[in-house]
Amino acid sequence: DTGVSQNPRHKITKRGQNVTFRCDPISEHNRLYWYRQTLGQGPEFLTYFQNEAQLEKSRLLSDRFSAERPKGSFSTLEIQRTEQGDSAMYLCASSPGQTRNTEAFFGQGTRLTVV
Amino acid sequence: TQLLEQSPQFLSIQEGENLTVYCNSSSVFSSLQWYRQEPGEGPVLLVTVVTGGEVKKLKRLTFQFGDARKDSSLHITAAQPGDTGLYLCAEDYSGGYQKVTFGTGTKLQVIP
């Protein structure tokens, strides 16, 4: 297992276009998280899946954002009608099981630039 | 969701110096994690502390959890350039769900 994989690593898009990012978690990890991070700041929570169920969505996740994890494995994050303010690093993480105090393993992120 | 404040926000020191960074919350932590993030990479877990007053050591890094479980500190002895990065504290159980909520971060630069 090579860890959490995110694609693409970099995305440049024009304002108003739609973009979709993919996250492949570590095999058999039940939990999957999406975060957004701007330069020099800590990651901000966007949404969280337990298997295929989306359990929580942040207020940061406007109606232009949608995330899916259809089979409880990989996940996609789509941003519609992108705005310059969407420019950020989008991080995906996964963690195993149902217990607390477990480590979240992060991917290398997708850096989005909206021009 | 509680707010995790970290201080200082930025820290630039010479190689060999010691430093301490802090993580504070308005509420009690169920447990607390420290991560380090290097540029272009995702955060990597350093340690998890669970019990009030707990102290954990990882080579030159010493992590302490406050007695009241509302604060934590990370002390680095004899800092090296390889310690450069963004240090993040996080709680892994927020709002009734097992999700990781991060602090504001401390950006550390160690100058050779």
Side-chain angles (χ1 to χ4, degrees):
Chain A
D1 196 336
T2 57
V4 178
S5 177
Q6 291 189 246
N7 289 287
R9 290 291 310 278
H10 303 276
K11 178 70 177 179
I12 300 173
T13 191
K14 291 183 178 180
R15 188 174 53 187
Q17 298 294 306
N18 299 343
V19 293
T20 300
F21 310 141
R22 177 179 170 123
C23 172
D24 287 89
I26 293 172
S27 298
E28 300 180 356
H29 275 194
N30 296 324
R31 302 183 212 150
L32 187 147
Y33 314 82
W34 283 100
Y35 292 83
R36 182 173 70 188
Q37 185 176 29
T38 53
L39 199 61
Q41 301 295 313
E44 298 172 294
F45 172 79
L46 293 178
T47 191
Y48 156 58
F49 290 85
Q50 177 76 36
N51 299 312
E52 67 275 10
Q54 188 173 19
L55 296 186
E56 188 171 351
K57 293 168 62 174
S58 164
R59 286 174 294 177
L60 293 173
L61 215 64
S62 75
D63 56 4
R64 297 184 297 105
F65 288 71
S66 62
E68 295 183 342
R69 194 184 184 196
K71 297 182 179 179
S73 56
F74 74 92
S75 177
T76 58
L77 177 67
E78 181 183 15
I79 308 174
Q80 296 181 327
R81 306 181 302 281
T82 52
E83 302 173 356
Q84 287 187 319
D86 297 331
S87 295
M89 176 76 85
Y90 289 84
L91 290 164
C92 175
S94 69
S95 65
Q98 304 284 337
T99 59
R100 298 171 61 168
N101 307 324
T102 56
E103 178 178 359
F105 293 83
F106 283 82
Q108 292 180 301
T110 294
R111 180 165 293 284
L112 173 66
T113 303
V114 182
V115 297
Chain B
T1 301
Q2 63 178 315
L3 183 64
L4 280 63
E5 299 267 3
Q6 290 188 244
S7 61
Q9 189 175 2
F10 300 101
L11 191 56
S12 181
I13 62 171
Q14 295 290 327
E15 182 177 0
E17 293 183 353
N18 302 334
L19 67 117
T20 303
V21 300
Y22 301 92
C23 175
N24 294 281
S25 171
S26 56
S27 305
V28 173
F29 292 109
S30 56
S31 63
L32 187 132
Q33 298 175 327
W34 283 94
Y35 289 79
R36 180 171 68 207
Q37 184 178 22
E38 298 182 10
E41 302 292 330
V44 175
L45 180 69
L46 297 174
V47 76
T48 300
V49 287
V50 179
T51 306
E54 183 176 4
V55 176
K56 284 191 173 180
K57 292 194 174 184
L58 184 65
K59 297 182 179 178
R60 295 176 293 100
L61 279 60
T62 302
F63 304 85
Q64 186 158 8
F65 202 13
D67 291 339
R69 289 163 50 217
K70 295 180 70 174
D71 59 273
S72 180
S73 64
L74 159 58
H75 181 80
I76 302 179
T77 303
Q80 299 178 0
D83 297 326
T84 293
L86 181 67
Y87 288 82
L88 297 157
C89 66
E91 184 181 37
D92 75 334
Y93 193 80
S94 303
Y97 294 110
Q98 290 161 304
K99 70 181 187 188
V100 182
T101 303
F102 286 91
T104 50
T106 293
K107 189 171 184 179
L108 171 65
Q109 181 185 34
V110 182
I111 302 168

